[in-house]
Amino acid sequence: MKTKTTIKDVAELAGVSFKTVSRVTNNEGSVRKETLQKVNEAIRQLNYQPNNAARNLAGNQSYALGYVYDNPNAYYVLDMQNGILAECRERGYELVIHPCSANNKDIVDELATMIKRSQLAGLIISPPLSEMPDVLSALDEMKIPFIRIISASEVSQGSSPCVYINDRDAAFDITEHLIEQGHSKIAFLRGDESHRSSHERKIGYLNALKKHNIPIIEDYQIDGSYSFEFGVQGAKQLLALPEPPTSIFSCNDEIAAGTLFAVRLQGLNVPEDMAIAGFEDSPFSRQTWPMLTTAAQPTNTIARKAAASLIQHLGHLRSPKTSADSIPHLHFRPQLVTRESTLTIPAQPQHE
Amino acid sequence: MKTKTTIKDVAELAGVSFKTVSRVTNNEGSVRKETLQKVNEAIRQLNYQPNNAARNLAGNQSYALGYVYDNPNAYYVLDMQNGILAECRERGYELVIHPCSANNKDIVDELATMIKRSQLAGLIISPPLSEMPDVLSALDEMKIPFIRIISASEVSQGSSPCVYINDRDAAFDITEHLIEQGHSKIAFLRGDESHRSSHERKIGYLNALKKHNIPIIEDYQIDGSYSFEFGVQGAKQLLALPEPPTSIFSCNDEIAAGTLFAVRLQGLNVPEDMAIAGFEDSPFSRQTWPMLTTAAQPTNTIARKAAASLIQHLGHLRSPKTSADSIPHLHFRPQLVTRESTLTIPAQPQHE
DNA sequence: ATAAGTGGTGACAACGCTGTCATTTGTGGT
DNA sequence: ACCACAAATGACAGCGTTGTCACCACTTAT
């Protein structure tokens, strides 16, 4: 790794004091154009990279974000991670990832320790942790800035900045799509209790039924978890009903894959005998036969925007002159993606 | 975040000099038991966490590892990541993840910049980057310690420390399993050219055929990529042959899922008309119908061991007295997991 | 001409820790 | 009891930055 080039080497080459170099690297302003150019040239020549450790130490601040999650969905996590990372790289931040268990009793202590240890400047939190009141209040108390991704159809309990995912209306769209396909016996397999998304999606489902005056049947609604296994089990339960549904809206693609599995195992055809829809547009919704109708959300973009928003906020904290102190709220609504698993009437022109 | 507790606070409470506290936190030895207890007690009481920035700066070293990957398999990446992270947390290291593109022309520069920027102490590299000679030699030149996960059946080109995954013999096992099920027309769908694993698995496949004196048919071997789409396309190609195979060994589960999809689309039954095996034991090998026979590797454990090994090596670099300077080699052999997609003759007792 | 800014720059302390080396304390051999 | 030597501890100088404050060279207003 050659001999380390420090700020002083740059200063010498540029013929200025090392403090001036610091001014340049930090965009502090009040540097003459001429000087600025000399310094930048020197930086380029020496391929100088400020030492983060020294920076953090001297500035008593940190350029590291944390991503906290507890999510079984590998695709989702990786999408989030990559999105955040892209933004971090661009803005000169580090990313510390922190997988953890939401039902760990000491989750709050764990987070506190981790924030301290890694000297984090801010946190990005995805569901279900982002929806746990005790975690949020603890974080508030620690006075660590954070942004969270949550499932909600509208801005809710004021306080902390959020990225809102409108699962409710997206689920409404899916249900309405099933109705348009001629279904009135539509079942719903709900995901984890602890994820607000599962409730939101259910509300969307119910709203669509109500709007179209379709009777709501208790037996068609089964609560479970975001897993393949539940999809299998839920489908079996539905098929055993005296009057089984003709379509099943599963709360995510994993459940839907299980549903599909079980339905086909019974010798039924999809979508003719049973239409099946998922949610999330995870890769394996495209790897089933037939492919699954689902709702797509731009997870990577969501993550990037969340990170960008947080970083911007941190910047404001540092220079209190521009006290646009609040992080703006962001909204996303997953988009319906229709595929073979629900298309009984002739397919309309597709966009995929 | 309260008032920061520093090493001096601890020293004062324990009634020793702050250097002694440093000795304790760094396990330097030559501290009396009695003193050690006092200090530890003080650390506990104050919930003291050494400041990493200061540590790195003063010691001119770093407690951060990098995980470099370019892999489309979310489950694999996350497993690796979690394994490494577990070890890092335990040993007081940070983890910097670095997804990148192996066919990026400037990959070497990119890594150099990243290593410098994040002040990394060592690297963990997974395929296919871990198998690219130019990347390795560049890393060697930078003198950054690293450990890599590679596909190989035996210790090869000496140099840098590796974790060896014996894909070859595992593929042999799978092929032999198909043979035991009565197949002699066994096709092989190979994954990416750039992943050595795809070649190793093919060699294993060929070895098994040879051992059992089964003729090797060129048309049964198709090269492609580790993707669902290739599985679909490859299967179609095989089924169009004048004399199609009776079983297909797909180079990983994703390909196998595609294969399954295409085979069933043709109205064939699995495993009766066509047996299908995958590789990797990724979750969705359990989410197909029927479930896929595959080979399982303990990715999480592999990752942990790799990280542990690297960290140990870094420790040795610091204290050159114990100059066990070489990182030991580690070997893993994926294990055959038989499931319905290949079981034509009555199932033997299962362990899952 | 003189006082009062203002933008640009530099000197220097401080951040919390590790490395080095000097110093103190304890131990065993005589 | 004494010395020699090792073990335990402390004093202090950095590590590469940022923050603070002082300073200088100009303007601009008097």
Side-chain angles (χ1 to χ4, degrees):
Chain A
M1 235 182 296
K2 297 157 201 182
T3 17
K4 240 157 284 177
T5 63
T6 77
I7 200 172
K8 292 188 181 171
D9 301 324
V10 177
E12 194 173 358
L13 213 187
V16 297
S17 82
F18 74 93
K19 176 64 214 186
T20 299
V21 177
S22 165
R23 287 199 177 88
V24 172
T25 57
N26 290 354
N27 271 312
E28 279 181 33
S30 64
V31 176
R32 243 187 310 168
K33 253 188 213 163
E34 200 182 319
T35 321
L36 192 123
Q37 270 181 358
K38 275 193 303 185
V39 173
N40 273 328
E41 173 57 20
I43 288 178
R44 211 193 44 69
Q45 259 187 53
L46 298 175
N47 184 24
Y48 166 70
Q49 295 270 108
N51 178 318
N52 255 311
R55 227 169 139 120
N56 293 348
L57 181 57
N60 189 30
Q61 56 187 260
S62 133
Y63 290 89
L65 260 38
Y67 171 43
V68 183
Y69 63 90
D70 166 26
N71 202 300
N73 187 331
Y75 294 109
Y76 178 79
V77 169
L78 231 48
D79 266 355
M80 283 290 301
Q81 201 170 280
N82 287 336
I84 297 171
L85 210 47
E87 192 66 24
C88 282
R89 279 192 200 170
E90 208 160 277
R91 308 286 217 89
Y93 275 72
E94 302 284 345
L95 208 217
V96 174
I97 52 178
H98 191 89
C100 59
S101 172
N103 44 31
N104 172 4
K105 207 57 181 116
D106 303 321
I107 181 69
V108 167
D109 288 344
E110 182 186 327
L111 291 182
T113 305
M114 169 250 186
I115 291 166
K116 204 169 166 189
R117 202 171 83 80
S118 298
Q119 240 98 38
L120 298 182
L123 247 43
I124 296 161
I125 316 172
S126 60
L129 273 95
S130 58
E131 298 164 348
M132 292 171 54
D134 45 340
V135 170
L136 300 179
S137 61
L139 254 26
D140 264 334
E141 231 166 75
M142 288 187 240
K143 294 227 189 321
I144 173 143
F146 62 91
I147 188 167
R148 56 204 181 105
I149 323 285
I150 67 169
S151 176
S153 55
E154 51 187 42
V155 176
S156 52
Q157 348 80 301
S159 68
S160 62
C162 289
V163 179
Y164 297 92
I165 311 297
N166 192 340
D167 286 308
R168 184 185 296 192
D169 291 347
F172 179 93
D173 294 343
I174 288 188
T175 312
E176 199 161 52
H177 162 72
L178 289 171
I179 295 169
E180 280 165 9
Q181 295 292 313
H183 295 281
S184 58
K185 297 182 193 167
I186 306 173
F188 182 83
L189 297 180
R190 205 198 66 190
D192 290 72
E193 170 85 44
S194 60
H195 285 65
R196 198 188 292 174
S197 60
S198 73
H199 298 96
E200 285 292 316
R201 290 171 195 175
K202 185 166 182 178
I203 293 173
Y205 156 79
L206 293 173
N207 284 349
L209 295 186
K210 276 178 212 149
K211 177 180 165 197
H212 292 271
N213 291 312
I214 294 175
I216 290 168
I217 299 174
E218 280 300 326
D219 285 346
Y220 284 178
Q221 303 166 32
I222 307 181
D223 295 344
S225 64
Y226 283 127
S227 72
F228 185 84
E229 289 70 26
F230 168 59
V232 174
Q233 179 233 305
K236 283 189 181 151
Q237 194 173 328
L238 290 170
L239 291 174
L241 288 174
E243 192 171 345
T246 61
S247 62
I248 303 177
F249 174 11
S250 294
C251 209
N252 78 349
D253 291 335
E254 208 164 336
I255 300 177
T259 307
L260 187 60
F261 178 99
V263 166
R264 296 188 50 78
L265 203 61
Q266 300 266 327
L268 298 178
N269 288 318
V270 175
E272 295 79 7
D273 303 327
M274 180 71 78
I276 297 177
F279 203 108
E280 279 181 8
D281 192 37
S282 73
F284 59 83
S285 68
R286 266 165 267 128
Q287 303 186 169
T288 54
W289 177 47
M291 295 196 224
L292 291 169
T293 287
T294 189
Q297 51 181 297
T299 306
N300 191 291
T301 306
I302 291 171
R304 263 202 95 132
K305 294 271 172 106
S309 178
L310 179 58
I311 290 175
Q312 191 182 24
H313 179 244
L314 295 175
H316 286 152
L317 286 186
R318 287 202 185 99
S319 51
K321 36 198 159 187
T322 47
S323 65
D325 206 5
S326 65
I327 308 187
H329 294 286
L330 298 169
H331 295 266
F332 289 91
R333 171 172 177 169
Q335 293 298 309
L336 175 67
V337 178
T338 55
R339 299 213 188 90
E340 292 77 17
S341 73
T342 60
L343 291 172
T344 36
I345 62 177
Q348 293 121 32
Q350 287 295 299
H351 311 285
E352 251 212 348
Chain B
M1 238 184 295
K2 299 156 201 182
T3 16
K4 240 158 284 178
T5 62
T6 78
I7 199 173
K8 292 189 183 171
D9 301 325
V10 177
E12 193 173 359
L13 213 188
V16 297
S17 83
F18 75 93
K19 176 64 214 187
T20 299
V21 177
S22 165
R23 287 201 177 86
V24 172
T25 57
N26 291 353
N27 269 313
E28 278 181 35
S30 65
V31 175
R32 243 188 310 170
K33 254 188 215 164
E34 200 184 322
T35 321
L36 191 124
Q37 270 181 358
K38 273 193 305 187
V39 173
N40 274 328
E41 174 57 21
I43 289 178
R44 210 193 45 68
Q45 259 187 54
L46 298 175
N47 183 25
Y48 166 70
Q49 295 271 108
N51 178 318
N52 255 311
R55 227 167 138 119
N56 294 347
L57 182 57
N60 190 32
Q61 56 188 258
S62 132
Y63 290 87
L65 259 38
Y67 171 42
V68 183
Y69 64 89
D70 167 25
N71 201 300
N73 186 330
Y75 294 110
Y76 178 79
V77 168
L78 232 47
D79 265 354
M80 282 291 301
Q81 199 170 282
N82 288 337
I84 297 171
L85 210 48
E87 192 67 24
C88 282
R89 278 191 200 172
E90 208 160 275
R91 306 288 216 90
Y93 275 72
E94 300 284 345
L95 207 216
V96 174
I97 52 177
H98 191 89
C100 59
S101 171
N103 44 30
N104 172 4
K105 207 60 181 111
D106 303 322
I107 180 72
V108 167
D109 288 345
E110 183 185 327
L111 291 181
T113 304
M114 171 249 186
I115 290 167
K116 203 169 165 190
R117 201 171 83 80
S118 299
Q119 239 97 37
L120 299 183
L123 247 44
I124 296 161
I125 315 172
S126 60
L129 274 97
S130 58
E131 298 164 347
M132 292 170 55
D134 46 338
V135 170
L136 300 179
S137 61
L139 255 25
D140 264 333
E141 230 167 76
M142 287 187 240
K143 294 231 192 315
I144 172 141
F146 61 91
I147 188 165
R148 56 203 182 105
I149 322 287
I150 68 169
S151 176
S153 56
E154 51 187 43
V155 175
S156 53
Q157 349 80 301
S159 69
S160 62
C162 290
V163 178
Y164 297 93
I165 310 297
N166 193 340
D167 285 309
R168 184 184 296 191
D169 291 347
F172 180 93
D173 294 342
I174 288 188
T175 312
E176 200 161 51
H177 162 73
L178 290 170
I179 295 169
E180 280 165 8
Q181 297 291 313
H183 295 281
S184 59
K185 298 183 194 168
I186 306 174
F188 182 83
L189 297 180
R190 205 199 66 191
D192 289 74
E193 171 84 44
S194 59
H195 284 64
R196 198 188 290 175
S197 60
S198 73
H199 298 96
E200 285 291 317
R201 290 170 196 176
K202 186 168 180 178
I203 294 174
Y205 156 79
L206 292 173
N207 284 349
L209 295 187
K210 277 179 210 149
K211 177 179 167 197
H212 291 271
N213 291 311
I214 294 175
I216 290 169
I217 299 172
E218 280 298 327
D219 285 345
Y220 284 179
Q221 302 166 31
I222 307 180
D223 295 344
S225 63
Y226 284 127
S227 70
F228 184 83
E229 289 70 25
F230 168 58
V232 174
Q233 178 232 307
K236 283 188 181 153
Q237 195 172 327
L238 289 170
L239 291 174
L241 288 175
E243 193 172 342
T246 62
S247 62
I248 303 176
F249 174 12
S250 294
C251 210
N252 79 349
D253 292 335
E254 208 164 335
I255 300 176
T259 308
L260 187 60
F261 178 98
V263 166
R264 295 188 50 79
L265 205 60
Q266 300 268 325
L268 298 179
N269 288 320
V270 175
E272 294 79 6
D273 303 327
M274 180 70 77
I276 297 176
F279 202 107
E280 280 181 7
D281 192 36
S282 73
F284 60 83
S285 68
R286 266 165 266 128
Q287 302 187 170
T288 56
W289 177 49
M291 295 196 223
L292 291 169
T293 287
T294 191
Q297 51 181 299
T299 306
N300 190 290
T301 307
I302 292 171
R304 261 202 97 133
K305 293 271 171 105
S309 177
L310 179 57
I311 290 175
Q312 191 182 22
H313 179 243
L314 294 175
H316 286 151
L317 285 187
R318 288 201 184 100
S319 51
K321 35 199 162 187
T322 47
S323 67
D325 207 6
S326 65
I327 307 187
H329 293 287
L330 297 169
H331 294 267
F332 289 91
R333 172 172 179 170
Q335 293 298 308
L336 176 66
V337 178
T338 55
R339 300 213 188 88
E340 291 76 17
S341 73
T342 60
L343 291 172
T344 36
I345 61 177
Q348 293 120 34
Q350 288 295 299
H351 311 284
E352 250 213 349

